Protein backbone atom coordinates (compact mmCIF):
# COMPACT_ATOMS: atom_id res chain seq x y z
CA UNK A 1 0.00 0.00 0.00
CA UNK A 2 1.60 3.25 -1.25
CA UNK A 3 4.87 1.39 -1.72
CA UNK A 4 4.92 -0.14 1.76
CA UNK A 5 4.51 -3.92 2.20
CA UNK A 6 1.76 -4.74 4.68
CA UNK A 7 0.67 -7.83 6.60
CA UNK A 8 -2.18 -8.66 8.93
CA UNK A 9 -0.12 -7.44 11.89
CA UNK A 10 -0.11 -3.91 10.45
CA UNK A 11 -3.92 -3.82 10.82
CA UNK A 12 -4.10 -5.27 14.33
CA UNK A 13 -5.21 -1.94 15.81
CA UNK A 14 -7.96 -1.58 13.18
CA UNK A 15 -9.74 -4.66 14.46
CA UNK A 16 -10.03 -8.38 13.83
CA UNK A 17 -11.92 -7.97 10.54
CA UNK A 18 -9.25 -5.65 9.11
CA UNK A 19 -6.51 -8.11 10.08
CA UNK A 20 -8.35 -11.02 8.44
CA UNK A 21 -9.00 -9.03 5.27
CA UNK A 22 -5.33 -8.11 5.00
CA UNK A 23 -4.27 -11.75 5.38
CA UNK A 24 -6.78 -13.25 2.97
CA UNK A 25 -6.30 -13.86 -0.74
CA UNK A 26 -7.87 -11.09 -2.78
CA UNK A 27 -10.26 -11.95 -5.58
CA UNK A 28 -9.88 -9.48 -8.42
CA UNK A 29 -12.23 -8.92 -11.30
CA UNK A 30 -12.29 -6.68 -14.34
CA UNK A 31 -15.28 -4.98 -15.93
CA UNK A 32 -16.01 -2.15 -18.32
CA UNK A 33 -19.47 -1.25 -16.98
CA UNK A 34 -20.80 -1.71 -13.45
CA UNK A 35 -24.30 -3.03 -12.80
CA UNK A 36 -27.11 -1.27 -10.99
CA UNK A 37 -26.15 -3.03 -7.76
CA UNK A 38 -22.93 -0.96 -7.64
CA UNK A 39 -23.46 2.68 -6.61
CA UNK A 40 -20.63 5.22 -6.88
CA UNK A 41 -19.90 6.92 -3.53
CA UNK A 42 -16.61 8.69 -4.22
CA UNK A 43 -14.24 9.35 -7.13
CA UNK A 44 -15.03 8.63 -10.77
CA UNK A 45 -15.64 5.37 -12.62
CA UNK A 46 -13.69 4.66 -15.76
CA UNK A 47 -15.24 4.81 -19.22
CA UNK A 48 -16.36 1.65 -20.99
CA UNK A 49 -13.61 2.17 -23.61
CA UNK A 50 -10.96 2.89 -20.99
CA UNK A 51 -7.36 2.93 -22.23
CA UNK A 52 -4.23 3.62 -20.26
CA UNK A 53 -2.90 2.43 -16.94
CA UNK A 54 -4.91 0.17 -14.65
CA UNK A 55 -7.28 1.71 -12.11
CA UNK A 56 -9.03 0.26 -9.08
CA UNK A 57 -12.58 0.58 -7.80
CA UNK A 58 -13.00 -0.56 -4.17
CA UNK A 59 -16.11 -1.34 -2.14
CA UNK A 60 -16.73 1.49 0.36
CA UNK A 61 -16.91 -0.46 3.63
CA UNK A 62 -13.97 -2.63 2.58
CA UNK A 63 -11.85 0.48 1.92
CA UNK A 64 -12.88 2.06 5.24
CA UNK A 65 -11.93 -1.10 7.14
CA UNK A 66 -8.44 -1.18 5.62
CA UNK A 67 -8.01 2.59 5.63
CA UNK A 68 -7.74 2.87 1.84
CA UNK A 69 -8.56 6.21 0.21
CA UNK A 70 -8.93 7.70 -3.25
CA UNK A 71 -5.48 8.08 -4.79
CA UNK A 72 -3.80 5.31 -2.78
CA UNK A 73 -1.52 3.01 -4.76
CA UNK A 74 -2.19 -0.69 -4.18
CA UNK A 75 0.12 -3.44 -5.36
CA UNK A 76 -0.97 -7.07 -5.71
CA UNK A 77 1.08 -10.19 -6.30
CA UNK A 78 -0.70 -12.45 -8.79
CA UNK A 79 1.13 -15.78 -8.98
CA UNK A 80 4.47 -13.95 -8.80
CA UNK A 81 3.48 -11.20 -11.26
CA UNK A 82 3.00 -7.72 -9.72
CA UNK A 83 -0.04 -5.57 -10.45
CA UNK A 84 0.03 -1.99 -9.20
CA UNK A 85 -2.81 0.51 -9.67
CA UNK A 86 -4.35 3.55 -7.99
CA UNK A 87 -7.78 3.72 -6.39
CA UNK A 88 -9.92 6.06 -8.50
CA UNK A 89 -13.39 5.30 -7.13
CA UNK A 90 -15.33 3.88 -4.19
CA UNK A 91 -18.70 2.16 -4.57
CA UNK A 92 -21.42 0.66 -2.44
CA UNK A 93 -22.37 -2.89 -3.39
CA UNK A 94 -25.80 -4.46 -2.83
CA UNK A 95 -24.64 -7.92 -1.80
CA UNK A 96 -28.28 -8.97 -1.29
CA UNK A 97 -28.74 -8.93 -5.08
CA UNK A 98 -27.04 -12.37 -5.24
CA UNK A 99 -25.10 -11.20 -8.30
CA UNK A 100 -21.35 -11.76 -8.70
CA UNK A 101 -19.60 -8.79 -7.06
CA UNK A 102 -16.11 -8.13 -5.77
CA UNK A 103 -14.43 -5.89 -3.21
CA UNK A 104 -11.76 -4.77 -5.69
CA UNK A 105 -12.38 -4.35 -9.43
CA UNK A 106 -9.71 -3.47 -12.01
CA UNK A 107 -10.29 -1.35 -15.10
CA UNK A 108 -10.49 -3.09 -18.51
CA UNK A 109 -7.14 -4.45 -19.67
CA UNK A 110 -5.60 -4.34 -16.22
CA UNK A 111 -5.61 -8.12 -15.83
CA UNK A 112 -4.45 -9.03 -19.32
CA UNK A 113 -1.98 -11.90 -19.34
CA UNK A 114 -3.13 -13.38 -16.02
CA UNK A 115 -5.01 -16.63 -15.61
CA UNK A 116 -8.70 -16.25 -14.89
CA UNK A 117 -11.72 -18.07 -13.46
CA UNK A 118 -15.01 -17.74 -15.29
CA UNK A 119 -18.28 -17.54 -13.38
CA UNK A 120 -21.69 -18.02 -14.98
CA UNK A 121 -25.21 -18.91 -13.89
CA UNK A 122 -27.75 -21.00 -15.76
CA UNK A 123 -31.12 -22.58 -15.16
CA UNK A 124 -31.32 -26.35 -15.24
CA UNK A 125 -34.77 -28.00 -15.27
CA UNK A 126 -35.40 -30.51 -12.52
CA UNK A 127 -35.64 -33.33 -15.04
CA UNK A 128 -32.12 -32.64 -16.36
CA UNK A 129 -30.22 -32.32 -13.10
CA UNK A 130 -28.47 -35.64 -13.70
CA UNK A 131 -26.86 -34.10 -16.78
CA UNK A 132 -24.77 -31.88 -14.47
CA UNK A 133 -23.10 -34.98 -13.03
CA UNK A 134 -22.08 -36.05 -16.51
CA UNK A 135 -20.79 -32.54 -17.22
CA UNK A 136 -18.56 -32.55 -14.14
CA UNK A 137 -17.21 -36.02 -14.96
CA UNK A 138 -16.34 -34.93 -18.50
CA UNK A 139 -14.79 -31.62 -17.40
CA UNK A 140 -13.14 -32.11 -13.98
CA UNK A 141 -11.95 -28.48 -13.86
CA UNK A 142 -15.56 -27.26 -13.59
CA UNK A 143 -17.03 -26.47 -10.17
CA UNK A 144 -20.84 -26.68 -10.01
CA UNK A 145 -22.79 -25.13 -7.11
CA UNK A 146 -26.48 -25.92 -6.70
CA UNK A 147 -28.11 -22.67 -5.57
CA UNK A 148 -31.35 -24.53 -4.78
CA UNK A 149 -29.62 -26.31 -1.89
CA UNK A 150 -28.46 -22.98 -0.47
CA UNK A 151 -31.92 -21.42 -0.74
CA UNK A 152 -33.52 -24.49 0.85
CA UNK A 153 -31.23 -24.08 3.84
CA UNK A 154 -32.15 -20.39 4.06
CA UNK A 155 -35.84 -21.25 3.89
CA UNK A 156 -35.41 -23.81 6.66
CA UNK A 157 -33.66 -21.27 8.88
CA UNK A 158 -36.32 -18.62 8.27
CA UNK A 159 -39.08 -21.14 9.01
CA UNK A 160 -37.46 -22.04 12.33
CA UNK A 161 -37.12 -18.37 13.30
CA UNK A 162 -40.74 -17.79 12.30
CA UNK A 163 -41.96 -20.66 14.48
CA UNK A 164 -40.01 -19.33 17.47
CA UNK A 165 -41.44 -15.84 16.99
CA UNK A 166 -44.94 -17.29 16.65
CA UNK A 167 -44.52 -19.17 19.93
CA UNK A 168 -43.42 -16.02 21.74
CA UNK A 169 -46.27 -14.09 20.11
CA UNK A 170 -48.96 -16.51 21.26
CA UNK A 171 -47.41 -16.77 24.71
CA UNK A 172 -47.47 -12.97 25.05
CA UNK A 173 -51.04 -12.87 23.82
CA UNK A 174 -52.08 -15.47 26.40
CA UNK A 175 -50.20 -13.54 29.11
CA UNK A 176 -52.05 -10.37 28.13
CA UNK A 177 -55.43 -12.09 28.44
CA UNK A 178 -54.50 -13.49 31.86
CA UNK A 179 -53.41 -10.03 33.00
CA UNK A 180 -56.73 -8.62 31.82
CA UNK A 181 -58.62 -11.25 33.83
CA UNK A 182 -56.45 -10.53 36.89
CA UNK A 183 -57.08 -6.80 36.59
CA UNK A 184 -60.84 -7.35 36.34
CA UNK A 185 -60.81 -9.67 39.36
CA UNK A 186 -58.85 -7.07 41.34
CA UNK A 187 -61.64 -4.54 40.76
CA UNK A 188 -64.49 -7.03 41.22
CA UNK A 189 -65.73 -5.52 44.50
CA UNK A 190 -65.91 -2.05 43.01
CA UNK A 191 -67.77 -3.36 39.96
CA UNK A 192 -70.27 -5.17 42.21
CA UNK A 193 -70.91 -1.94 44.08
CA UNK A 194 -71.49 0.03 40.89
CA UNK A 195 -73.75 -2.71 39.48
CA UNK A 196 -75.73 -2.82 42.72
CA UNK A 197 -76.34 0.91 42.63
CA UNK A 198 -77.41 0.74 38.99
CA UNK A 199 -79.77 -2.18 39.71
CA UNK A 200 -81.36 -0.27 42.58
CA UNK A 201 -81.91 2.67 40.23
CA UNK A 202 -83.72 0.38 37.79
CA UNK A 203 -81.03 -0.85 35.38
CA UNK A 204 -81.66 -4.27 33.84
CA UNK A 205 -79.16 -7.09 33.31
CA UNK A 206 -79.14 -6.31 29.61
CA UNK A 207 -78.18 -2.70 30.26
CA UNK A 208 -75.41 -3.75 32.66
CA UNK A 209 -74.09 -6.24 30.13
CA UNK A 210 -74.16 -3.56 27.40
CA UNK A 211 -72.19 -1.18 29.63
CA UNK A 212 -69.58 -3.88 30.28
CA UNK A 213 -69.38 -4.71 26.57
CA UNK A 214 -68.90 -1.03 25.69
CA UNK A 215 -66.08 -0.71 28.22
CA UNK A 216 -64.11 -3.77 27.15
CA UNK A 217 -64.83 -3.25 23.46
CA UNK A 218 -63.44 0.29 23.65
CA UNK A 219 -60.35 -0.91 25.50
CA UNK A 220 -59.77 -3.68 22.94
CA UNK A 221 -60.29 -1.29 20.03
CA UNK A 222 -57.79 1.19 21.43
CA UNK A 223 -55.22 -1.49 22.33
CA UNK A 224 -55.56 -3.24 18.96
CA UNK A 225 -55.24 0.01 17.00
CA UNK A 226 -52.18 1.21 18.90
CA UNK A 227 -50.46 -2.19 18.83
CA UNK A 228 -51.12 -2.88 15.13
CA UNK A 229 -50.10 0.62 14.02
CA UNK A 230 -46.96 0.72 16.14
CA UNK A 231 -45.98 -2.83 15.11
CA UNK A 232 -46.38 -1.92 11.43
CA UNK A 233 -44.23 1.20 11.80
CA UNK A 234 -41.51 -0.62 13.76
CA UNK A 235 -41.51 -3.50 11.27
CA UNK A 236 -41.17 -1.03 8.39
CA UNK A 237 -38.24 0.76 10.01
CA UNK A 238 -36.42 -2.51 10.80
CA UNK A 239 -37.10 -3.96 7.35
CA UNK A 240 -35.98 -0.89 5.39
CA UNK A 241 -33.26 0.61 7.59
CA UNK A 242 -31.61 -2.54 8.96
CA UNK A 243 -32.31 -5.36 6.49
CA UNK A 244 -32.61 -3.04 3.44
CA UNK A 245 -35.56 -4.99 2.12
CA UNK A 246 -38.66 -3.67 0.30
CA UNK A 247 -41.65 -3.05 2.54
CA UNK A 248 -45.17 -1.70 2.16
CA UNK A 249 -47.87 -0.99 4.71
CA UNK A 250 -50.34 -3.87 5.09
CA UNK A 251 -53.81 -2.51 5.78
CA UNK A 252 -55.10 -6.05 6.29
CA UNK A 253 -52.74 -6.54 9.26
CA UNK A 254 -54.03 -3.33 10.79
CA UNK A 255 -57.60 -4.51 10.29
CA UNK A 256 -56.88 -7.92 11.82
CA UNK A 257 -55.13 -6.30 14.79
CA UNK A 258 -58.01 -3.93 15.50
CA UNK A 259 -60.72 -6.57 15.11
CA UNK A 260 -58.72 -9.22 16.96
CA UNK A 261 -57.90 -6.91 19.88
CA UNK A 262 -61.51 -5.77 20.15
CA UNK A 263 -62.93 -9.29 20.01
CA UNK A 264 -60.45 -10.81 22.48
CA UNK A 265 -60.83 -8.01 25.00
CA UNK A 266 -64.61 -8.09 24.65
CA UNK A 267 -65.00 -11.84 25.11
CA UNK A 268 -62.43 -12.05 27.93
CA UNK A 269 -63.84 -9.03 29.76
CA UNK A 270 -67.44 -10.23 29.57
CA UNK A 271 -66.45 -13.67 30.81
CA UNK A 272 -64.45 -12.21 33.70
CA UNK A 273 -67.33 -9.92 34.78
CA UNK A 274 -70.18 -12.43 34.36
CA UNK A 275 -70.72 -12.48 38.14
CA UNK A 276 -71.30 -8.72 38.22
CA UNK A 277 -74.50 -8.82 36.19
CA UNK A 278 -75.76 -12.00 37.82
CA UNK A 279 -75.35 -10.89 41.45
CA UNK A 280 -78.48 -9.45 43.14
CA UNK A 281 -78.32 -5.86 44.43
CA UNK A 282 -78.25 -6.92 48.09
CA UNK A 283 -74.83 -8.57 47.60
CA UNK A 284 -73.20 -5.25 46.80
CA UNK A 285 -71.51 -3.53 49.74
CA UNK A 286 -71.75 0.23 49.89
CA UNK A 287 -68.35 1.95 50.18
CA UNK A 288 -67.28 3.72 53.36
CA UNK A 289 -67.64 7.46 52.75
CA UNK A 290 -64.99 8.25 55.35
CA UNK A 291 -62.23 6.49 53.43
CA UNK A 292 -61.39 6.65 49.74
CA UNK A 293 -62.07 3.58 47.64
CA UNK A 294 -59.03 1.62 46.61
CA UNK A 295 -58.72 -1.30 44.30
CA UNK A 296 -56.32 -3.94 45.69
CA UNK A 297 -53.70 -4.86 43.15
CA UNK A 298 -54.89 -2.30 40.57
CA UNK A 299 -51.52 -0.52 40.45
CA UNK A 300 -49.54 -3.71 39.98
CA UNK A 301 -52.07 -5.00 37.46
CA UNK A 302 -51.76 -1.77 35.45
CA UNK A 303 -47.97 -2.13 35.49
CA UNK A 304 -48.18 -5.73 34.31
CA UNK A 305 -50.61 -4.71 31.55
CA UNK A 306 -48.14 -2.06 30.35
CA UNK A 307 -45.28 -4.57 30.27
CA UNK A 308 -47.37 -7.20 28.51
CA UNK A 309 -48.46 -4.64 25.91
CA UNK A 310 -44.81 -3.78 25.26
CA UNK A 311 -43.87 -7.43 24.83
CA UNK A 312 -46.81 -8.01 22.50
CA UNK A 313 -45.82 -4.94 20.46
CA UNK A 314 -42.22 -6.09 20.06
CA UNK A 315 -43.26 -9.66 19.14
CA UNK A 316 -45.72 -8.35 16.55
CA UNK A 317 -43.04 -6.19 14.96
CA UNK A 318 -40.53 -9.06 14.84
CA UNK A 319 -43.12 -11.39 13.34
CA UNK A 320 -43.94 -8.84 10.63
CA UNK A 321 -40.22 -8.45 9.84
CA UNK A 322 -39.86 -12.23 9.51
CA UNK A 323 -42.90 -12.34 7.23
CA UNK A 324 -41.43 -9.53 5.11
CA UNK A 325 -38.13 -11.39 4.90
CA UNK A 326 -39.90 -14.53 3.69
CA UNK A 327 -41.49 -12.53 0.86
CA UNK A 328 -38.35 -10.87 -0.52
CA UNK A 329 -37.39 -11.07 -4.15
CA UNK A 330 -34.65 -13.63 -3.62
CA UNK A 331 -37.32 -16.30 -3.42
CA UNK A 332 -37.24 -17.64 0.08
CA UNK A 333 -40.87 -18.76 0.08
CA UNK A 334 -41.60 -19.54 -3.56
CA UNK A 335 -39.84 -22.48 -5.20
CA UNK A 336 -36.67 -21.16 -6.83
CA UNK A 337 -35.46 -22.40 -10.21
CA UNK A 338 -32.52 -24.72 -10.06
CA UNK A 339 -29.43 -22.66 -10.77
CA UNK A 340 -25.82 -23.67 -10.91
CA UNK A 341 -22.62 -21.66 -10.88
CA UNK A 342 -19.88 -22.86 -13.18
CA UNK A 343 -16.25 -21.87 -12.66
CA UNK A 344 -13.57 -22.65 -15.21
CA UNK A 345 -9.89 -21.86 -14.82
CA UNK A 346 -7.82 -20.96 -17.84
CA UNK A 347 -6.01 -18.13 -19.67
CA UNK A 348 -8.04 -15.05 -20.39
CA UNK A 349 -7.87 -11.29 -20.88
CA UNK A 350 -9.81 -10.74 -17.66
CA UNK A 351 -9.61 -12.29 -14.25
CA UNK A 352 -12.56 -12.86 -12.01
CA UNK A 353 -12.66 -14.19 -8.49
CA UNK A 354 -14.84 -16.19 -6.19
CA UNK A 355 -18.46 -15.14 -6.10
CA UNK A 356 -19.29 -13.78 -2.67
Amino acid sequence: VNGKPVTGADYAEAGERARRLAEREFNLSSTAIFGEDNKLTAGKLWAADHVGGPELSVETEFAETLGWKIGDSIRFDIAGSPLEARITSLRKVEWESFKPNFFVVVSPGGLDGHSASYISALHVPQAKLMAMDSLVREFPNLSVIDIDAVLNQVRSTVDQVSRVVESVFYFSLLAGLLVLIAAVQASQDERLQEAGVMRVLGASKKQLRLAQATEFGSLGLLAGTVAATAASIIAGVITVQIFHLPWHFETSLLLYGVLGGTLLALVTGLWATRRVTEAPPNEARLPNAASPRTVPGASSATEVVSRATGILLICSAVRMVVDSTEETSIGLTAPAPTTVTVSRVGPSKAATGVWR
Side-chain angles (χ1 to χ4, degrees):
V1 179
N2 295 324
K4 177 184 176 181
V6 294
T7 62
D10 297 317
Y11 293 93
E13 296 182 357
E16 180 64 20
R17 183 171 186 268
R19 185 187 64 80
R20 287 189 288 103
L21 290 175
E23 292 178 346
R24 61 172 283 181
E25 292 185 357
F26 280 74
N27 301 307
L28 303 179
S29 181
S30 178
T31 186
I33 301 177
F34 288 93
E36 296 181 355
D37 52 344
N38 286 259
K39 306 295 183 182
L40 180 67
T41 59
K44 182 180 180 181
L45 297 176
W46 49 76
D49 55 350
H50 172 81
V51 293
E55 300 178 3
L56 299 178
S57 179
V58 185
E59 197 268 338
T60 301
E61 295 184 2
F62 182 84
E64 292 176 352
T65 302
L66 295 180
W68 294 0
K69 303 179 295 297
I70 297 291
D72 285 350
S73 178
I74 310 298
R75 181 176 180 178
F76 298 96
D77 187 302
I78 305 177
S81 300
L83 171 65
E84 186 169 355
R86 288 191 175 276
I87 300 176
T88 59
S89 64
L90 300 178
R91 56 199 163 76
K92 181 177 179 59
V93 179
E94 297 179 4
W95 300 108
E96 297 86 357
S97 65
F98 270 52
K99 296 180 180 179
N101 280 298
F102 299 85
F103 288 123
V104 182
V105 178
V106 187
S107 58
L111 296 176
D112 288 356
H114 297 285
S115 60
S117 297
Y118 294 88
I119 295 179
S120 180
L122 64 149
H123 171 70
V124 179
Q126 193 73 21
K128 297 184 179 180
L129 286 179
M130 297 303 297
M132 301 308 300
D133 296 336
S134 302
L135 181 65
V136 173
R137 285 194 298 267
E138 186 173 353
F139 301 95
N141 61 333
L142 293 181
S143 298
V144 179
I145 302 175
D146 188 356
I147 305 301
D148 260 354
V150 178
L151 292 181
N152 288 334
Q153 182 62 40
V154 174
R155 293 191 195 100
S156 176
T157 302
V158 171
D159 289 341
Q160 293 176 7
V161 174
S162 179
R163 285 194 293 269
V164 171
V165 173
E166 282 184 354
S167 301
V168 176
F169 174 81
Y170 291 124
F171 174 79
S172 302
L173 185 60
L174 178 60
L177 295 178
L178 293 178
V179 168
L180 175 60
I181 296 175
V184 171
Q185 293 297 326
S187 61
Q188 193 79 296
D189 291 340
E190 184 181 25
R191 292 179 182 275
L192 286 172
Q193 294 168 5
E194 294 176 351
V197 173
M198 295 178 66
R199 291 288 296 275
V200 170
L201 295 177
S204 63
K205 291 184 179 181
K206 182 178 181 180
Q207 290 174 325
L208 292 178
R209 181 62 69 183
L210 180 61
Q212 300 285 353
T214 302
E215 175 187 356
F216 292 112
S218 300
L219 290 176
L221 177 63
L222 178 61
T225 302
V226 173
T229 303
S232 298
I233 295 175
I234 295 175
V237 172
I238 295 176
T239 302
V240 176
Q241 299 297 329
I242 298 180
F243 293 106
H244 304 289
L245 298 173
W247 177 85
H248 60 278
F249 185 80
E250 290 286 349
T251 55
S252 59
L253 294 177
L254 178 61
L255 180 61
Y256 294 151
V258 172
L259 294 180
T262 303
L263 182 61
L264 287 175
L266 180 61
V267 173
T268 305
L270 291 178
W271 180 84
T273 58
R274 65 192 184 281
R275 178 168 169 259
V276 174
T277 56
E278 298 296 335
N282 56 6
E283 287 190 11
R285 294 183 304 168
L286 294 178
N288 186 359
S291 61
R293 291 184 301 177
T294 58
V295 180
S299 176
S300 59
T302 303
E303 183 179 353
V304 175
V305 169
S306 301
R307 293 179 179 177
T309 303
I311 295 174
L312 181 60
L313 180 64
I314 295 174
C315 292
S316 299
V318 174
R319 173 60 196 275
M320 293 175 67
V321 171
V322 172
D323 290 342
S324 299
T325 305
E326 290 179 341
E327 297 173 0
T328 54
S329 58
I330 62 175
L332 299 183
T333 55
T338 301
T339 309
V340 297
T341 299
V342 181
S343 175
R344 179 182 180 183
V345 180
S348 172
K349 293 183 179 181
T352 59
V354 177
W355 173 19
R356 176 179 175 181

